[in-house]
Amino acid sequence: MDKMDKHIDTLKEEVERHIGKKPNVHGDFTRLSEVLYHKHKELISPTTLKRLWGYFKHESPAPQTRTLNTLSAFVGYKDYQDFCDYQDAQNSYSSEFVKHGSQQCYLMKDGEKIKISWYPQRTLILRHEGDGDLFTVVSSQNSKLEPGMKLHCETFTMNEMLLLRNVKGGTLTESCDYICGKIGGIEFEMLKQNATE
């Protein structure tokens, strides 16, 4: 396997990690196509994605640069060249540094708010309660979480799935965990102190 094939295989593995599975049926490729368009406004057809993942056994993948650039951006790189440069700089393909922005919750101040969004069109605003990793839901759009619920979170990382632990309150009869961004991860932004969202 040459270096280019290795890079493409590694890129596909990164995409699979971000969506939480290896696409292998038509619906998987359709959903991935929709997520790519939603996040990057680039239309990569399900057929193109199927070809890249070897869904058509009689065809060998010859992906266009635009497809590779979009998939690289999806997993947190500027473009495919940036992805390849990063892979070349590593001594091993079995380890990875996270290049995405992250926010450590223990560094947040009491009352600070963070806005989290993920596919498809879900948004949360959380307020830090000044106790390490404790947050209160301030507002929720298209998610199952409700304003006033309490939860715990250690780190928010761009383009990665987010686990909210020990969610309590609202209509829940017992505490549970909640996952945001199973497809494509989350995006977040710190809100100014006077933000009323």
Side-chain angles (χ1 to χ4, degrees), residues 27-78:
D28 294 339
F29 295 103
T30 300
R31 280 188 289 278
L32 179 54
S33 175
E34 290 170 354
V35 169
L36 292 171
Y37 183 76
H38 174 76
K39 289 196 74 168
H40 303 288
K41 300 299 183 258
E42 286 285 350
L43 182 60
I44 308 296
S45 74
T47 301
T48 297
L49 295 170
K50 285 179 181 180
R51 191 173 291 118
L52 181 59
W53 260 266
Y55 185 84
F56 302 117
K57 303 300 181 191
H58 59 284
E59 294 185 30
S60 59
Q64 295 182 353
T65 302
R66 183 177 71 91
T67 299
L68 297 174
N69 284 343
T70 301
L71 291 172
S72 297
F74 178 64
V75 299
Y77 295 83
K78 180 181 176 183

Side-chain angles (χ1 to χ4, degrees), residues 42 48 63 70 84 97 115 136 153 161 194:
E42 286 285 350
T48 297
T70 301
C84 291
F97 287 103
K115 181 178 181 180
T136 299
C153 181
M161 189 171 68
N194 58 359

Side-chain angles (χ1 to χ4, degrees), residues 122-172:
R122 286 160 172 43
T123 304
L124 278 179
I125 295 179
L126 304 177
R127 181 181 64 243
H128 191 256
E129 296 301 334
D131 182 18
D133 64 355
L134 180 63
F135 290 85
T136 299
V137 177
V138 175
S139 69
S140 173
Q141 180 181 1
N142 300 322
S143 88
K144 295 177 182 176
L145 298 181
E146 305 165 35
M149 285 181 162
K150 304 285 186 186
L151 55 89
H152 295 264
C153 181
E154 295 176 358
T155 306
F156 301 98
T157 304
M158 288 290 228
N159 301 312
E160 296 287 341
M161 189 171 68
L162 174 67
L163 174 64
L164 303 175
R165 297 178 297 104
N166 200 22
V167 180
K168 296 178 182 177
T171 55
L172 290 176

